[in-house]
């Protein structure tokens, strides 16, 4: 079974007129290149190269931020506490999650609280080692929900890892504390 759709007559002329109008608009946006396909291909290549640069910068930022967090470890009894806030604004909250999971694998008895400004909004992540969850009956989901109230937000997650988002980025430091 084949399905064939067609337009004829005045509707066909209107359809092609609209397509031509769209093509002219694209040409205007691209400053009337000789070869529009070549110009669009070049733009897509530029975009891909820029995305690779952004990805590289994000990895460099993540490594630098993780290193700075490791330098701030405070030991209280058998608990390794790390807390901090990423400088600047991030576009991707996944960076914070990746750092949290990396630190969980590197630091024994981890209690981690990190925050970031993600696209103008506060973002908070809490990571707790399984040993501390069992020993102290901690729950990252409950902790992050309470902390998120500080910046007019909410969140949740699992007992070992939870995240929260909110509205008031100026109060992120209070939530981290």
């Amino acid at each position: 079974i084949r399905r064939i759709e067609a337009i004829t007559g005045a509707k066909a002329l209107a359809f092609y007129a609209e397509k031509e109008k769209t093509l002219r608009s694209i040409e205007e946006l691209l400053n009337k290149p000789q070869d529009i396909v070549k110009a669009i291909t070049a733009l897509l290549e530029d975009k891909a190269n820029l995305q690779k640069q952004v990805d590289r910068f994000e990895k460099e930022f993540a490594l630098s931020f993780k290193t700075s967090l490791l330098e701030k470890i405070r030991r209280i009894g058998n608990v390794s506490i790390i807390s901090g806030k990423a400088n600047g604004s991030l576009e991707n909250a996944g960076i914070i999650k990746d750092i949290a999971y990396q630190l969980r694998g590197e630091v024994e008895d981890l209690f981690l609280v990190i925050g970031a400004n993600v696209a103008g909004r506060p973002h908070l992540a809490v990571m707790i080692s399984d040993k501390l969850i069992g020993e102290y009956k901690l729950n990252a989901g409950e902790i992050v929900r309470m902390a998120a109230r500080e910046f007019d937000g909410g969140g949740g997650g699992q007992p070992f890892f939870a995240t929260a988002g909110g509205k008031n980025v100026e109060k992120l430091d209070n939530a981290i504390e």
Side-chain angles (χ1 to χ4, degrees), residues 6-160:
I7 53 175
T8 61
K11 286 192 177 193
L13 292 174
F15 175 79
Y16 282 107
E18 186 62 33
K19 292 294 180 188
E20 187 175 1
K21 183 179 173 184
T22 301
L23 183 59
R24 298 296 163 238
S25 296
I26 292 169
E27 284 180 331
E28 288 293 324
L29 287 172
L30 298 174
N31 295 323
K32 298 186 180 186
Q34 292 288 348
D35 184 351
I36 194 166
V37 173
K38 193 182 251 184
I40 291 173
T41 302
L43 279 175
L44 292 174
E45 288 173 0
D46 288 348
K47 180 187 178 288
N49 290 333
L50 289 171
Q51 186 59 51
K52 286 178 187 175
Q53 284 184 331
V54 167
D55 293 344
R56 190 178 76 242
F57 289 142
E58 283 180 346
K59 286 179 184 176
E60 290 173 6
F61 165 79
L63 181 62
S64 172
F65 184 48
K66 182 178 131 186
T67 301
S68 73
L69 289 171
L70 285 169
E71 292 170 355
K72 297 181 190 178
I73 292 179
R74 295 184 324 238
R75 297 267 321 153
I76 298 177
N78 65 339
V79 180
S80 297
I81 299 172
I82 301 175
S83 65
K85 181 173 95 172
N87 293 329
S89 180
L90 304 176
E91 291 299 317
N92 180 0
I95 294 171
I96 299 300
K97 181 179 179 181
D98 291 344
I99 291 170
Y101 273 91
Q102 288 174 23
L103 289 171
R104 183 176 192 233
E106 295 176 20
V107 179
E108 195 174 337
D109 302 324
L110 177 67
F111 185 92
L112 172 71
V113 179
I114 50 178
N117 175 345
V118 178
R121 301 184 71 126
H123 180 81
L124 189 69
V126 174
M127 176 70 79
I128 304 172
S129 72
D130 292 334
K131 183 178 177 185
L132 295 179
I133 292 169
E135 192 172 327
Y136 295 106
K137 308 295 184 235
L138 297 173
N139 185 310
E142 292 173 9
I143 293 168
V144 85
R145 267 191 296 279
M146 287 188 294
R149 292 183 195 142
E150 289 288 331
F151 53 71
D152 304 324
Q158 301 168 340
F160 68 93

